[in-house]
Amino acid sequence: MELRQVGTIAGKEFWDRIRNRWVLAVALVFTVFALVIAYFGGAQQGAVGFRSIGVTIASLVSLVIYLIPLIALVLGFDAIVGERERGSLDLLLSMPITRFELLLGKYLGLAAALAFSTIAGFGLVAVVLAAQLDLPALFHYFGFMASSVLLGMAFLSIAVMLSVFAADRTRASGLAIAAWFFFVLVFDLLLLGALVVTGGSYGGEIFPYLLLLNPADVFRILNIFTLDDVRTLYGLATVFPRTLAEPWLLGLVMLAWIVTPLAVATWRFRK
């Protein structure tokens, strides 16, 4: 594998997003939503202004679970199939570059653009709130930012895999929307429905492990379980065992969600 070739493709994908102001737009969306949640999240209780890092992160987690997967899937669904439809894929592959180098370069470039916009958007909020946060609170907030980047990279990996398998952009976009609905909306409803139907007599022991099959749930647990007051509010203390909630373990699970779809995409793209 030639790293220079991968870097060239990645750089082109990244700077294309910079030039069309995609990164700026996403960063601005993150900043606005995060500031509104931080200062007006308690408006329904008659309190306006920053309250606590736990409440802020819990509110941001609910936002990020909907927003970042959607942005990542929209960003990557046509990474390969789009090149194929435009007729530029054959031209790229006629150059001294392998299919794996092309796939990896595209993913890394898109991942860099998504990570940059996420860090820039939420990082600006950290600067604004820095005077009101102590060191442990900043640590939790930067952990939230890092896990948000991992969440985006996991769904971007899924998007690139779908782009490799799809026959055209229309089908790729449909698969991306279906993936968002499944992981963000349907997955948890299926698990809860199964528990309700069985009265909790079946599946209760494996329920925490099933949550690891959804990167959105891994992200939620990774952020919520480290905050004692919010963990109790969400009820995770009684559902998810502490032995599975180690940040390093959940981080490895999230990395697996990044690597596995990419590995499947690589296998399919080489055929």
Side-chain angles (χ1 to χ4, degrees), residues 212 218 222 243-255:
L212 300 181
V218 176
L222 185 59
T243 53
L244 286 179
E246 294 292 338
W248 66 268
L249 179 59
L250 294 174
L252 289 177
V253 173
M254 193 67 83
L255 288 176

Side-chain angles (χ1 to χ4, degrees), residues 64-268:
V64 165
I65 282 179
Y66 287 94
L67 199 57
I68 284 187
L70 181 61
I71 292 173
L73 289 167
V74 170
L75 177 63
F77 82 90
D78 67 341
I80 298 300
V81 73
E83 297 283 1
R84 186 184 297 125
E85 281 200 348
R86 289 189 293 269
S88 54
L89 182 59
D90 291 336
L91 177 62
L92 286 171
L93 294 176
S94 68
M95 299 178 180
I97 184 172
T98 66
R99 287 175 175 264
F100 176 67
E101 291 167 352
L102 175 62
L103 184 69
L104 183 60
K106 278 188 163 292
Y107 175 79
L108 291 178
L110 295 174
L114 182 59
F116 182 81
S117 61
T118 303
I119 293 172
F122 290 129
L124 182 59
V125 177
V127 173
V128 174
L129 298 178
Q132 305 178 56
L133 301 177
D134 55 15
L135 193 58
L138 281 173
F139 175 78
H140 282 299
Y141 188 79
F142 285 127
F144 159 76
M145 288 173 55
S147 62
S148 298
V149 171
L150 290 178
L151 178 67
M153 293 178 70
F155 274 93
L156 180 62
S157 182
I158 294 172
V160 171
M161 180 186 69
L162 296 177
S163 182
V164 170
F165 277 89
D168 52 59
R169 293 182 74 253
T170 301
R171 295 181 185 179
S173 62
L175 289 173
I177 294 172
W180 183 83
F181 269 101
F182 176 75
F183 286 111
V184 176
L185 300 176
V186 177
F187 185 87
D188 289 348
L189 291 177
L190 290 177
L191 292 186
L192 290 174
L195 288 176
V196 171
V197 169
T198 61
S201 56
Y202 299 100
E205 299 80 5
I206 66 171
F207 184 80
Y209 297 93
L210 294 176
L211 291 176
L212 300 181
L213 298 178
N214 185 349
D217 283 327
V218 176
F219 169 78
R220 180 187 289 113
I221 296 166
L222 185 59
N223 284 279
I224 298 302
F225 213 95
T226 55
L227 301 168
D228 293 334
D229 51 343
V230 181
R231 181 177 73 239
T232 304
L233 180 64
Y234 269 68
L236 287 177
T238 57
V239 175
F240 206 85
R242 186 176 290 275
T243 53
L244 286 179
E246 294 292 338
W248 66 268
L249 179 59
L250 294 174
L252 289 177
V253 173
M254 193 67 83
L255 288 176
W257 268 107
I258 296 172
V259 173
T260 302
L262 270 183
V264 174
T266 300
W267 166 79
R268 181 67 179 85

Side-chain angles (χ1 to χ4, degrees), residues 35-52 56 132:
L35 284 175
V36 169
I37 287 175
Y39 280 97
F40 300 102
Q44 290 181 336
Q45 289 75 35
V48 176
F50 179 75
R51 297 169 62 188
S52 70
T56 299
Q132 305 178 56

Side-chain angles (χ1 to χ4, degrees), residues 24-42:
L24 177 62
V26 174
L28 185 61
V29 168
F30 287 152
T31 300
V32 171
F33 274 109
L35 284 175
V36 169
I37 287 175
Y39 280 97
F40 300 102

